[in-house]
Amino acid sequence: MIIEDEPMVAMFIEEALELAGASSFDIAATEADAVAFAARHRPTVITSDVRLVEGTGPRAVEQIHNQLGDIPVIFITGTPFECEAKNTSPVLMKPVTLNAVMKAFEKVAPEDAGCLS
């Protein structure tokens, strides 16, 4: 799942994840959409911005984790200081490179993560 409210950035992240081997995606622009998409189809890996047009990525991730259990997360944001201090997920600073997203995905993704929704 890609939680990102900027369409061009979401497409860039999707491209990087495809190059890393992911093959299926849900893209959510709001906190509520992310939670709803995850409830319909459990994501294998989540990439998330912090600030969204409606809600926040970290709150969406927290709700998804509360409902579905632990799922690997990569935060990709222009505001990395807003990721919680207790967070152990990789945090990539925007602007980000394809290579950085690919390496972070390879680091956190389970071996069967070809289906990233």
Side-chain angles (χ1 to χ4, degrees):
M1 172 180 291
I2 299 169
I3 305 173
E4 173 61 61
D5 60 355
E6 296 179 43
M8 295 301 290
V9 175
M11 290 181 357
F12 176 85
I13 293 168
E14 181 177 9
E15 178 183 354
L17 296 173
E18 283 179 324
L19 290 170
S23 60
S24 174
F25 305 88
D26 283 325
I27 299 175
T30 69
E31 181 179 326
D33 284 347
V35 174
F37 290 162
R40 285 194 297 270
H41 188 245
R42 187 183 198 281
T44 305
V45 174
I46 300 169
T47 67
S48 180
D49 194 358
V50 172
R51 293 184 183 176
L52 303 172
V53 67
E54 292 180 28
T56 73
R59 282 197 312 250
V61 168
E62 181 180 7
Q63 291 175 62
I64 292 166
H65 282 169
N66 287 341
Q67 292 175 8
L68 303 175
D70 193 36
I71 297 169
V73 178
I74 304 164
F75 287 101
I76 303 172
T77 180
T79 57
F81 53 89
E82 293 184 17
C83 290
E84 299 209 11
K86 64 183 176 186
N87 173 42
T88 59
S89 300
V91 179
L92 304 178
M93 175 80 170
K94 289 179 183 174
V96 67
T97 65
L98 284 173
N99 194 40
V101 175
M102 291 169 59
K103 285 184 184 238
F105 175 77
E106 291 165 359
K107 180 180 176 183
V108 303
E111 288 188 29
D112 62 347
C115 181
L116 173 71
S117 76

